[in-house]
Amino acid sequence: MKQKIQYLDDARTLAILWVVLVQHNFAPYGNHFGWVPNGSYELFNSDLIYISGYFTCMSMPICFFIAGIVAFLSMRRVDDKSFVDVMKKKAKRLLLPAFLFGLIFQVIKEHTITYKAVIGYMHFWFIIDLFLISLIFMLINKKIGKILHIILTLVAVVIASLLSNRLFNFCSGYFFYLVGYMVTAYYKRKSARYQDISVGNVCILFVFSVLAFLCFPEKLKSIMVPIFAIPVLIVALKNISFFNHALWLVLCKYSYGIYIFHMLYLYAIYYGLNYGGANSFIIENAYWVSTLIALITIPLSIITTNFINKTKFLKI
């Protein structure tokens, strides 16, 4: 089981590192973050930004997908009594840190507290959604049939896509959680394994994922690209051994902490540089400065996570 879980840790850690080192590397220069005055995505190569979008489509869906796999592997051992204990542990690891540090981040950044801290301020939306999705799934999964569960989820995704991006993110996250759960149940029932997928099928899935990225509109792309690409990534990771390196295992261990704290340090560093009059320097050297800052946030986040865990108030 330990080896089986490791490739899931590898996939989740890769997804989180992609967010930290690439997705949120560019973001401070764009209008959405706007942390670099006079900054723009045009400072970076447009082809690089476009190509990175393919992998960005997978970053959060694969985390929800993996959570669904883990849910299947563990849920059979969860009865009504232990359900409360499981959710308490999840709340301590996911919900409480997201609320607390999201609130702190909003106060620092906006000097106020709003509903955003409750639904997930900035990047904390993912942590909030992961907790709520696991809670809702555990409550209803055994109460409705599989087909009805799938249909209701797809209907929710379609409706959410017409209403708001925030709701769409939640419903699509639930969809990938459900897919991860059901795919694992299928493979368990058939006594099959992900690595049993042939090389030819892996190549076909990869081609389909690229075509989906090139041809589909944005929201449909965010669903279809991961559907085809996630099996490719998981099969690849199950056949790669160099991820057993000690440094990589440390990154796996602290991956949630890296995700939680990197944004706070990212904002603090950019704010400090801008306040210190380095705005022109940041813009002129956007590539290497943004990359260096993103890299710096990783050890800082690991140190912070380790410190927080030692207090025993939270367990990240």
Side-chain angles (χ1 to χ4, degrees):
M1 177 67 71
K2 188 174 181 180
Q3 182 181 4
K4 200 169 188 178
I5 293 296
Q6 184 56 48
Y7 77 87
L8 300 180
D9 287 342
D10 294 340
R12 184 186 64 238
T13 303
L14 275 175
I16 288 174
L17 289 178
W18 178 265
V19 172
V20 173
L21 296 177
V22 179
Q23 194 172 338
H24 290 169
N25 184 345
F26 301 139
Y29 290 81
N31 292 330
H32 179 58
F33 281 19
W35 296 351
V36 179
N38 303 315
S40 170
Y41 284 130
E42 294 179 0
L43 295 169
F44 302 93
N45 184 283
S46 59
D47 292 332
L48 176 63
I49 296 289
Y50 183 76
I51 293 172
S52 72
Y54 170 81
F55 299 98
T56 297
C57 281
M58 288 188 289
S59 57
M60 293 297 97
I62 197 168
C63 291
F64 290 116
F65 183 86
I66 291 169
I69 294 176
V70 174
F72 175 83
L73 297 176
S74 60
M75 194 172 287
R76 289 173 297 176
R77 303 190 298 271
V78 178
D79 54 26
D80 291 339
K81 184 178 180 181
S82 60
F83 168 77
V84 177
D85 293 332
V86 169
M87 295 316 300
K88 283 182 179 178
K89 290 179 180 178
K90 285 182 178 290
K92 189 174 182 180
R93 190 182 183 211
L94 299 173
L95 194 62
L96 189 55
F99 279 157
L100 177 60
F101 295 110
L103 187 149
I104 292 172
F105 192 16
Q106 186 177 26
V107 169
I108 292 173
K109 187 172 178 292
E110 299 183 7
H111 311 294
T112 187
I113 298 174
T114 68
Y115 72 94
K116 295 178 183 178
V118 177
I119 66 173
Y121 185 70
M122 297 291 289
H123 65 305
F124 287 107
W125 70 267
F126 164 66
I127 307 293
I128 299 287
D129 283 10
L130 189 57
F131 174 83
L132 293 177
I133 286 170
S134 63
L135 173 62
I136 294 170
F137 187 88
M138 292 180 74
L139 288 173
I140 71 172
N141 183 53
K142 293 182 180 180
K143 293 180 173 61
I144 61 176
K146 295 178 182 178
I147 301 301
L148 179 59
H149 201 166
I150 293 172
I151 292 173
L152 290 176
T153 301
L154 290 175
V155 169
V157 170
V158 172
I159 294 174
S161 69
L162 303 174
L163 298 177
S164 74
N165 289 332
R166 182 66 186 88
L167 188 59
F168 176 75
N169 287 339
F170 179 85
C171 291
S172 60
Y174 190 94
F175 169 76
F176 284 108
Y177 190 101
L178 175 63
V179 170
Y181 183 95
M182 291 193 168
V183 166
T184 308
Y186 171 82
Y187 273 90
K188 280 288 184 180
R189 188 168 60 252
K190 297 293 184 180
S191 298
R193 299 169 299 176
Y194 285 109
Q195 62 261 47
D196 293 334
I197 301 175
S198 67
V199 174
N201 286 336
V202 168
C203 292
I204 290 172
L205 287 171
F206 174 71
V207 170
F208 281 168
S209 70
V210 173
L211 290 175
F213 177 73
L214 295 174
C215 301
F216 289 151
E218 200 65 32
K219 288 183 178 177
L220 184 57
K221 180 191 302 183
S222 68
I223 297 291
M224 297 308 299
V225 171
I227 286 292
F228 294 125
I230 286 174
V232 177
L233 177 62
I234 290 180
V235 170
L237 289 175
K238 292 195 74 171
N239 292 280
I240 297 176
S241 59
F242 70 85
F243 282 117
N244 291 326
H245 190 278
L247 177 60
W248 178 256
L249 296 179
V250 170
L251 293 174
C252 289
K253 179 181 178 181
Y254 291 101
S255 59
Y256 274 124
I258 292 171
Y259 182 85
I260 288 172
F261 294 113
H262 83 279
M263 184 77 80
L264 283 77
Y265 284 116
L266 200 67
Y267 176 77
I269 293 171
Y270 275 107
Y271 180 85
L273 289 172
N274 286 313
Y275 186 79
N279 180 252
S280 297
F281 178 80
I282 295 172
I283 292 175
E284 292 169 4
N285 301 278
Y287 271 106
W288 74 263
V289 169
S290 63
T291 301
L292 180 61
I293 292 174
L295 285 169
I296 289 173
T297 66
I298 293 177
L300 290 175
S301 297
I302 291 175
I303 293 170
T304 305
T305 303
N306 191 47
F307 173 78
I308 293 295
N309 287 342
K310 284 183 177 179
T311 65
K312 298 183 179 179
F313 173 65
L314 298 172
K315 182 65 177 178
I316 300 173

